[in-house]
Amino acid sequence: MTTGLIPGEQPPDPGPTGSLPQQRGEPAGHAAQHVENRSRSSVITARAAASFEPVGRSVASARSFVRDTLQGWGFADIVDDAVVLTSELVTNAVVHAGTSADVLCLRSDEGVRIEVADRYPEREIPLQATAINMGSPDREGGRGLQLCAALAGRWGVEYTPTHKTVWFQLDLPARVVGTRAAGPVLPSDLLPLADARVRVAVVQIDRTGHITAWNEDAEELFGYPAEQVTGKPLTDLAAWPHTPGTSTGIAEALRLSRWEGSYGIRAATGRVTPVYASHLRVRDTGGEPSTVCLLVRDHERAVLQTPLRVPASDTSTTSEGQGTDPFEVFIGYPAPDDLDGLLQRTVERARDMLDGDSAFLLLATDDETELEVRASTGLPSARQRFARVPVEAGPGRYGSARMPAVHDDLTAVPGAVPLLNGTGMRSIVTVPLKVEGRLTGSLGVAAEAPGRYSNEEALRLQFAADRIALAVESARLGELERLRRGSLNFLVEASDLLAGTLDRDQTLALMAQMTVPTLATWCAVYTIAHQASEPYLSYVLHEDEELIDGIKSLLSKVPPPDPVPTPGARVWTAPGEVAHQAALRSSMRSLGLSGGPTRQVTPGIGPTLATASAVGGETVVLPLVARNRVIGMLTLGKPTDEHFRQEILELAEDLSRRAALALDNARLYSERTAISQALQRSLLPPELPVIDGVEVEVIYRAAGEGNEVGGDFYDVFPIRDGAYGFAIGDVCGTGPNAAAVTGLARHALRLLAREGLSGPTVLERLNSAILDEGARSRFLTLLYGEMRPQEDGSAELKVVCAGHPLPLRLRQDGTVEPAAEPQPLLGVIEDLELYEQTVTLDPGDVLLCVTDGVTERREGARMLGDDGLADVLTSCTGLTAGAVAARIMRAVERFASDAPSDDMAILAMRVPGLHKD
């Protein structure tokens, strides 16, 4: 860096006609109307120049150069605006353009002109009739021209073949000739009152807190002679704290490098004298530390108190007589209307105000136990954003974020500010943001050099923080309200989707799809079958489908998280650690560093490194708890160096509770469906027997979703000596209760028929068994018969029809007729007198038996009925038994558009014709 100061020099030539100076607040498109070069009549009384290399730290050096130059010239009123504008312009040059920057400061009788030149002239030269697009005001860089338009009296851009120069001029505030502002001007009647002689007690305290020196003013103020108090601890005299709300203890205050505040001293009279104290920690030539305390009466605090650094504009008034808003003085006008923009502007202004290298702002969580990083500058923001730190960071109260703190050298207290670990920052000042006494955030400014900040800077930063705290909290609450509304909409939609399915696999897929990418970059769902089983990786999803297999493979190598039922999200570091190690091993192998021969980079390193980057950020686990049991875990992850914000974790916790209940409902439904289907299958007969000389076909449809068996049933089974029994019946009702009677009837028929009983006797005993069920009994219609194939190719049937639709016989000539007579149904009266009828099926004949679900098929007022069934059967001449049953079922289904409301069973038996050789 080179500097120079040349007093009395005339201003240089204004440059080429491409220069476009701008008036404050006017659009660039009208620049031609206000082309204004530096006046040749204004005399330059001082000049300072410096050059800065294209490195990040040059921005801070440029700010220091401009600040020192203007303060040396006595222009403290415009230092802040000049430093802000210089910081933006130098950042554009050395960071964004990547060139060195030349800074020139010119002092004249009209004001101060500052020029920033870089070596990147290849940018588009703005035309007079074309509006200049200055970019978004919320980005990190690129706001130089906007700030010039907002803060400078005049500004412009000049182009040469080798340089581009942006200049701005700041006008000096009007003041009386020969005076120099040293701070805010106060009327005499507002000055603090003091005695005829202001007494300043000087007390020196050694490293143990004992008094070693006590001057005459201390004796006069408190009534103790020096010999009486020397050697005593200051804590014996101090009434701490005197001012309500002060949280620093006297012992902690004595260890701070600088401190100011109020407390009380117990005088010799026994009364407490309120004092205002300024503590300065020093050391003697032998290295022994001590603290010098200057104390005055509390109402005379103006003698010692470091004045708040109020910008000149704070005490000025506008042309209308209204005072300037202190908030706008710090943030600038117009203030960003969104929270992120406001926070980013705040950290940048705080950094420039204290000439720091970096700054950050944290917002407190609702319970005020943690702080969340929401904005930063000069730090790796991607890594720090949404990171959380505890409010109470140290064992002493001075380590709390609830009060201002200054660290001279962070290397002496490693870990004191975790956010700055590994950033190279050495000194830092942090102050709280409070609204109505409640901690809402913390603002910090840091520098690479040690010992940069003192209590004066802490007071200046606290003054700024107090001005913006309410605006930040208002913006935060607005954002929080928007997030909560969005969260409610999200949870309502999620609940509807989860409630719309009882399929376990679909529920798992919905959980993942609702999570990614709304809440996380990737997620994994672990399920637990029962309490004794280990968690099982059931589903993995990433917003980039190409990374799913890699994450699934990586997680399969990591022991699953512990199924802890504690609510809330907990951090799980295993995936990130394993991913980092796997990527490191893969990289070493690909570069031949693992001991083997050197070889080219293998294609597998890409997916490995991509997977490591995908899971390298923060990973959290939320338990899936339903009915007081952990049934799984929902794992959410971010890519490298990203963190979850608190609102997202709270939303994920709400989602996990709903998802857990939906997943458990799907599990219970699957289990009960499996049990129900197994029980229902046990009620169905085994495979139909093969009967020589007779074709048999059955079609069965149970009404109701998930039902395999209802109130209708059928059976065909061997009895004895070539005889076969067949049955088709209908229990009153549908569902499980009807199925229970179905099982009773089917199994009883087999047992009774194989005892050699006749058909009527079998049905009479079955009737008694049904009546024995008492209130659980249901009436039953049943067609039962015994069939015996004959040697001539016919089949002899003995049939009993107990209240059931009559069987129909189809002859070869197409005629259809009932094959039995109706008799009383079962389960109603005890004494039944049933009889059987004999039917002979000739070759080619078909016997069709159906339940009333077929004949009572309805479409509005129409019903298929017995006649409709007979008409369909008439068209089945010459068809096989299977074809006959299929045609009947199609006719029934086409008769009405609605799904069947009753169980249906079709039993078709056909005697084929004789084949001649």
Side-chain angles (χ1 to χ4, degrees):
M1 181 182 76
T2 61
T3 62
L5 181 63
I6 308 175
E9 181 177 327
Q10 294 293 331
D13 185 76
T17 57
S19 173
L20 294 176
Q22 303 290 329
Q23 294 288 343
R24 178 193 298 265
E26 296 189 6
H30 301 279
Q33 303 176 14
H34 304 283
V35 175
E36 184 177 336
N37 296 326
R38 281 171 283 177
S39 174
R40 294 183 179 274
S41 62
S42 61
V43 177
I44 296 178
T45 58
R47 171 188 177 125
S51 298
F52 301 93
E53 298 298 322
V55 294
R57 66 183 60 190
S58 294
V59 179
S61 300
R63 291 197 298 265
S64 298
F65 164 70
V66 172
R67 184 185 299 277
D68 294 342
T69 299
L70 297 189
Q71 287 180 343
W73 290 347
F75 296 154
D77 298 329
I78 61 174
V79 165
D80 284 345
D81 289 345
V83 168
V84 169
L85 294 176
T86 303
S87 178
E88 289 292 335
L89 298 178
V90 174
T91 298
N92 290 339
V94 304
V95 176
H96 301 299
T99 75
S100 59
D102 299 327
V103 180
L104 174 64
C105 301
L106 301 174
R107 184 183 69 183
S108 67
D109 52 355
E110 295 182 352
V112 173
R113 173 177 170 131
I114 298 178
E115 301 179 356
V116 178
D118 63 45
R119 294 170 176 80
Y120 191 69
E122 292 85 1
R123 301 180 182 179
E124 178 182 358
I125 298 178
L127 301 178
Q128 294 180 358
T130 304
I132 300 176
N133 181 12
M134 298 184 182
S136 170
D138 297 327
R139 354 181 251 187
E140 176 75 16
R143 296 192 304 269
L145 299 183
Q146 286 185 323
L147 287 177
C148 287
L151 299 179
R154 292 182 292 276
W155 65 278
V157 184
E158 300 176 358
Y159 289 89
T160 68
T162 58
H163 289 76
K164 178 180 73 68
T165 302
V166 180
W167 62 268
F168 60 89
Q169 180 167 321
L170 299 175
D171 298 329
L172 298 177
R175 62 176 63 166
V176 180
V177 177
T179 64
R180 178 173 177 176
V185 179
L186 290 177
S188 299
D189 56 350
L190 296 181
L191 293 175
L193 296 176
D195 294 340
R197 177 176 181 271
V198 176
R199 299 187 181 275
V200 180
V202 180
V203 183
Q204 191 163 3
I205 314 297
D206 62 14
R207 69 161 64 231
T208 62
H210 292 77
I211 300 173
T212 59
W214 186 271
N215 72 342
E216 294 179 358
D217 281 356
E219 294 182 5
E220 183 67 25
L221 286 175
F222 309 121
Y224 298 107
E227 59 272 11
Q228 184 177 350
V229 296
T230 301
K232 291 186 176 181
L234 181 62
T235 53
D236 290 352
L237 305 179
W240 189 274
H242 175 70
T243 302
T246 304
S247 57
T248 306
I250 183 64
E252 290 88 346
L254 292 175
R255 287 197 295 267
L256 297 176
S257 59
R258 294 189 61 143
W259 184 87
E260 292 183 17
S262 297
Y263 54 92
I265 295 293
R266 294 184 180 87
T269 59
R271 302 184 62 181
V272 174
T273 302
V275 297
Y276 187 83
S278 176
H279 296 181
L280 175 65
R281 195 161 173 80
V282 298
R283 62 174 179 169
D284 57 21
T285 56
E288 184 67 18
S290 62
T291 302
V292 177
C293 305
L294 307 179
L295 302 96
V296 298
R297 293 184 180 91
D298 193 64
H299 65 273
E300 297 172 341
R301 64 169 59 193
V303 177
L304 299 182
Q305 186 174 24
T306 301
L308 296 178
R309 191 174 183 274
V310 182
S313 56
D314 278 4
T315 58
S316 64
T317 59
T318 62
S319 59
E320 290 81 6
Q322 298 176 352
T324 303
D325 187 356
F327 170 76
E328 293 181 356
V329 171
F330 180 73
I331 294 297
Y333 182 83
D337 56 0
D338 64 300
L339 178 61
D340 290 336
L342 177 62
L343 299 184
Q344 191 63 37
R345 182 81 63 85
T346 298
V347 296
E348 292 168 4
R349 288 300 177 90
R351 174 201 63 191
D352 296 342
M353 184 180 72
L354 296 189
D355 196 19
D357 297 309
S358 64
F360 55 86
L361 194 148
L362 304 91
L363 295 183
T365 55
D366 292 339
D367 56 3
E368 297 184 24
T369 60
E370 287 186 314
L371 295 167
E372 189 176 62
V373 179
R374 293 298 302 271
S376 65
T377 181
L379 296 173
S381 56
R383 175 170 66 89
Q384 303 292 348
R385 188 167 172 80
F386 299 125
R388 291 177 297 279
V389 296
V391 170
E392 307 294 338
R397 281 177 289 180
Y398 60 90
S400 171
R402 302 181 186 277
M403 59 170 293
V406 177
H407 290 278
D408 290 331
D409 193 348
L410 291 177
T411 59
V413 281
V417 185
L419 293 177
L420 300 183
N421 291 344
T423 61
M425 301 297 161
R426 298 281 298 275
S427 55
I428 181 174
V429 53
T430 60
V431 297
L433 275 68
K434 292 186 177 182
V435 175
E436 297 180 352
R438 182 174 59 86
L439 180 69
T440 60
S442 178
L443 177 63
V445 178
E448 295 179 353
R452 284 281 298 276
Y453 302 116
S454 64
N455 189 55
E456 180 181 356
E457 282 77 16
L459 291 174
R460 291 171 56 194
L461 189 61
Q462 185 67 71
F463 179 82
D466 293 341
R467 293 298 184 271
I468 66 169
L470 185 59
V472 169
E473 180 65 5
S474 177
R476 187 189 74 87
L477 292 176
E479 181 196 62
L480 187 60
E481 179 64 21
R482 289 190 296 271
L483 285 175
R484 286 177 176 170
R485 290 182 180 178
S487 299
L488 290 176
N489 293 334
F490 172 78
L491 291 175
V492 168
E493 182 179 355
S495 299
D496 290 342
L497 290 173
L498 291 171
T501 179
L502 288 173
D503 181 81
R504 175 183 176 276
D505 294 337
Q506 189 174 1
T507 302
L508 290 173
L510 283 175
M511 290 171 56
Q513 292 167 6
M514 288 185 296
T515 302
V516 176
T518 304
L519 304 181
T521 306
W522 65 272
C523 83
V525 182
Y526 290 84
T527 56
I528 302 175
H530 49 81
Q531 294 182 353
S533 62
E534 292 292 327
Y536 174 74
L537 182 61
S538 299
Y539 202 93
V540 175
L541 183 65
H542 191 280
E543 60 183 7
D544 184 356
E545 294 182 357
E546 296 181 356
L547 297 177
I548 294 177
D549 292 338
I551 297 177
K552 188 180 300 183
S553 175
L554 184 142
L555 292 179
S556 64
K557 301 174 184 177
V558 179
D562 296 331
V564 179
T566 305
R570 68 181 191 276
V571 177
W572 186 31
T573 60
E577 295 172 354
V578 173
H580 176 74
Q581 296 171 2
L584 181 61
R585 289 194 300 268
S586 178
S587 300
M588 295 179 65
R589 286 196 303 269
S590 65
L591 298 175
L593 301 177
S594 58
T598 303
R599 56 184 182 273
Q600 297 296 324
V601 176
T602 61
I605 188 175
T608 301
L609 295 178
T611 302
S613 177
V615 302
E618 189 175 43
T619 302
V620 298
V621 177
L622 297 104
L624 298 175
V625 181
R627 299 176 175 90
N628 299 322
R629 188 175 72 88
V630 180
I631 63 171
M633 284 86 69
L634 177 62
T635 303
L636 307 180
K638 287 281 190 179
T640 301
D641 296 337
E642 288 195 21
H643 297 268
F644 288 97
R645 58 187 306 176
Q646 186 65 29
E647 292 84 356
I648 294 297
L649 293 180
E650 293 174 357
L651 180 57
E653 185 177 356
D654 288 338
L655 176 63
S656 68
R657 288 195 292 266
R658 290 165 169 79
L661 187 59
L663 184 61
D664 198 46
N665 289 339
R667 177 188 64 83
L668 294 175
Y669 178 78
S670 299
E671 291 179 356
R672 293 182 180 181
T673 300
I675 294 172
S676 175
Q677 290 175 349
L679 292 175
Q680 291 182 61
R681 282 192 294 270
S682 70
L683 301 177
L684 294 175
E687 296 182 357
L688 297 177
V690 178
I691 304 175
D692 293 337
V694 179
E695 298 174 359
V696 179
E697 183 64 29
V698 174
I699 296 179
Y700 184 82
R701 296 286 189 273
E705 183 181 357
N707 291 331
E708 295 187 15
V709 175
D712 292 5
F713 67 96
Y714 67 92
D715 200 0
V716 179
F717 54 93
I719 300 177
R720 63 189 179 278
D721 301 334
Y724 294 85
F726 65 92
I728 183 169
D730 184 3
V731 178
C732 174
T734 61
N737 293 329
V741 180
T742 297
L744 171 64
R746 194 179 69 80
H747 290 94
L749 282 176
R750 287 200 172 205
L751 292 174
L752 296 173
R754 288 172 177 172
E755 291 294 326
L757 302 176
S758 63
T761 305
V762 169
L763 268 60
E764 290 170 359
R765 294 195 178 184
L766 176 59
N767 180 64
S768 300
I770 294 174
L771 293 175
D772 288 342
E773 292 293 314
R776 296 180 299 175
S777 67
R778 290 170 177 259
F779 63 82
L780 168 67
T781 66
L782 178 63
L783 172 65
Y784 173 74
E786 295 181 1
M787 177 177 57
R788 186 183 298 271
Q790 303 297 312
E791 293 181 358
D792 59 359
S794 63
E796 183 183 78
L797 285 69
K798 294 181 178 180
V799 181
V800 179
C801 185
H804 198 77
L806 300 180
L808 299 178
R809 176 180 180 180
L810 173 63
R811 295 185 181 273
Q812 289 191 27
D813 59 3
T815 59
V816 175
E817 60 184 6
E821 297 177 353
Q823 300 184 57
L825 53 77
L826 307 181
V828 178
I829 58 177
E830 295 184 359
D831 298 328
L832 287 179
E833 295 182 0
L834 302 175
Y835 58 92
E836 62 184 9
Q837 298 173 273
T838 301
V839 179
T840 300
L841 294 181
D842 296 327
D845 289 353
V846 175
L847 184 70
L848 177 65
C849 308
V850 299
T851 58
D852 60 3
V854 174
T855 57
E856 294 179 2
R857 176 73 163 151
R858 293 181 179 275
E859 175 68 20
R862 296 187 308 121
M863 186 172 69
L864 181 62
D866 296 334
D867 295 337
L869 179 62
D871 293 340
V872 177
L873 183 59
T874 301
S875 64
C876 297
T877 304
L879 299 181
T880 63
V884 171
R887 179 170 292 188
I888 298 298
M889 180 55 72
R890 284 197 301 271
V892 173
E893 291 175 344
R894 293 173 181 174
F895 188 81
S897 58
D898 296 338
S901 59
D902 196 4
D903 305 325
M904 292 187 296
I906 300 173
L907 172 61
M909 294 182 291
R910 178 177 179 270
V911 178
L914 296 175
H915 298 280
K916 297 182 180 180
D917 297 335

